[in-house]
Structure formats: C-alpha cells, structure tokens
Amino acid sequence: GIQVEQSPPDLILQEGANSTLRCNFSDSVNNLQWFHQNPWGQLINLFYIPSGTKQNGRLSATTVATERYSLLYISSSQTTDSGVYFCAVDEETSGSRLTFGEGTQLTVNP
Amino acid sequence: DTGVSQDPRHKITKRGQNVTFRCDPISEHNRLYWYRQTLGQGPEFLTYFQNEAQLEKSRLLSDRFSAERPKGSFSTLEIQRTEQGDSAMYLCASSLALPGQYFGPGTRLTVT
C-alpha cells in the first residue's frame, strides 16, 4: 500500500513564528487532505488539495502531485494552533480509503 | 448541516464484553467510513460503505468486529468479546464522492 511520511515529527514554536510541515507520499493519489487534531481528538478539515495551492487565512497548502509531496504553511502561529497535524491520501487504486501519516505534533508557546 | 455525530463519546468496558458504537453521517453523504486510532498514531482504515453496501474491509477488522449501515444512513460498529488491544479512538467519517472526508468527534473505548 501507499506510504505517507510526515516531517518533522515534533515542532515547538514561539507565538508569532511561521512554520512549514511536509508530507511525502509514495504513489499517485486521487485525494490529499490536511487535518488538525485538537486535544479532544476531533479531526478538523483544513484543506482538500490533491494538487495546486490553496489559502485559508493564516494557513496555506501546496501539493505537487508529480513530485509526490505536499506542504502546509502556518504563518503568525497562535497557541490555538497547537495539536497534531495529519496528512492523509487516497491512492488511485484504493477505492477511497484514506491512509494517514503519523502526524506532526505542533506546540506553540506564548 | 450538523456534521458527523458519534455516540457514545466515551465507553469503558470490561474485557470480554460486547460494545456497539453509532455514527450518524452528514445528511445526503452516501459514503461512510470507520477508522481506528491508537495513541501516538494516525488513524487506520477499518471499513467503508457506499449507501448500504459494505465495499471494503481492512484486515484489521477481525471476525470480532462487524459494521452495518442498514438503510444507507447511520452506521453501527460492534466489537464482540473485547480485548485490551481494542482500546482506541474509533472515528467515523462521511463524504460524497468529492471533495474529501469529514470526521466525527470519535468514540474513545477503554477496555479494562
């Protein structure tokens, strides 16, 4: 099956700093999503981005499908950005199940 | 649009007991998925339905697990003869064909 690798595994920032999270995947995909998991376990949709670039407020994401990676940018980080960020992909042959990476644990300190 | 809901949010059970979880998808979403997440890991796919048909099951879904979606709306996931290794967060998601899956708040299962 498809492999999904996220980096870095852990990231500690001061409030106001910018960061870039990376997701590499091993095969062609139909779907790529970025999620933020809050401390209560809820997975919150950030982006549906199988290719191209999208922006939503302080967050933006870019997926280069031909090179099999995606980047999530967080600008002017806030303490409420803390949590785990997951990348998940649906490979072309899967029939629609998502395969998740192991996540990036982000801590934003005041 | 009320989002995906799951019930219960937390369940504590003794080893050997049966448990059942419910998921209500976003209305009109024809696809429904179950995932399991253990501590420190990303969610892992268990099974998915398109309408009432169960189209795919992971090998993680042992014969003690069964899922149904009888009328193509809500779904149930039952675990029989629970084991301590079943302790995890059980997540439900729903979607149309595009653009992506939307997750519920999860059911946290603790087997003592």
Side-chain angles (χ1 to χ4, degrees):
Chain A
I2 195 167
Q3 304 298 312
V4 182
E5 294 183 354
Q6 291 188 243
S7 60
D10 297 279
L11 187 58
I12 300 175
L13 301 174
Q14 287 299 120
E15 202 166 23
N18 302 329
S19 61
T20 301
L21 282 57
R22 186 177 179 103
C23 172
N24 293 331
F25 45 97
S26 61
D27 209 339
S28 301
V29 298
N30 286 323
N31 174 14
L32 187 146
Q33 290 183 252
W34 282 98
F35 296 93
H36 176 212
Q37 189 164 44
N38 67 22
W40 298 272
Q42 172 82 58
L43 280 166
I44 299 165
N45 285 45
L46 297 178
F47 293 102
Y48 167 80
I49 186 165
S51 64
T53 297
K54 291 186 178 179
Q55 181 158 5
N56 184 3
R58 297 181 296 102
L59 303 182
S60 63
T62 295
T63 298
V64 183
T66 54
E67 298 187 21
R68 299 181 183 168
Y69 73 89
S70 183
L71 302 173
L72 177 69
Y73 305 95
I74 305 174
S75 64
S76 304
S77 57
Q78 301 176 357
T79 56
T80 52
D81 295 331
S82 296
V84 184
Y85 289 79
F86 286 105
C87 166
V89 302
D90 162 14
E91 60 186 305
E92 286 184 348
T93 58
S94 81
S96 81
R97 66 178 179 273
L98 289 176
T99 299
F100 283 76
E102 294 199 347
T104 292
Q105 173 76 57
L106 175 65
T107 303
V108 181
N109 292 321
Chain B
D1 182 355
T2 57
V4 179
S5 61
Q6 293 187 245
D7 183 70
R9 297 290 306 278
H10 303 274
K11 179 71 176 180
I12 300 173
T13 191
K14 293 185 178 180
R15 186 164 51 95
Q17 298 295 304
N18 299 343
V19 294
T20 300
F21 310 141
R22 177 179 170 126
C23 171
D24 287 87
I26 293 171
S27 59
E28 299 181 355
H29 277 191
N30 60 344
R31 295 184 179 185
L32 187 149
Y33 311 80
W34 287 99
Y35 293 82
R36 182 174 71 186
Q37 186 179 21
T38 54
L39 198 63
Q41 303 295 317
E44 295 176 291
F45 170 80
L46 292 178
T47 188
Y48 106 90
F49 295 83
Q50 182 159 312
N51 300 312
E52 64 274 14
Q54 189 173 18
L55 295 186
E56 189 174 353
K57 292 193 289 187
S58 163
R59 63 181 178 277
L60 294 176
L61 212 66
S62 76
D63 56 6
R64 298 185 296 105
F65 289 70
S66 62
E68 295 183 343
R69 194 183 183 197
K71 297 183 179 178
S73 57
F74 73 92
S75 176
T76 58
L77 177 69
E78 181 183 16
I79 309 174
Q80 296 182 327
R81 305 181 304 280
T82 53
E83 302 173 355
Q84 286 189 321
D86 298 331
S87 294
M89 175 78 90
Y90 290 83
L91 295 162
C92 176
S94 70
S95 74
L96 293 173
L98 292 173
Q101 298 182 24
Y102 292 82
F103 281 78
T107 295
R108 189 175 297 279
L109 173 66
T110 302
V111 182
T112 62

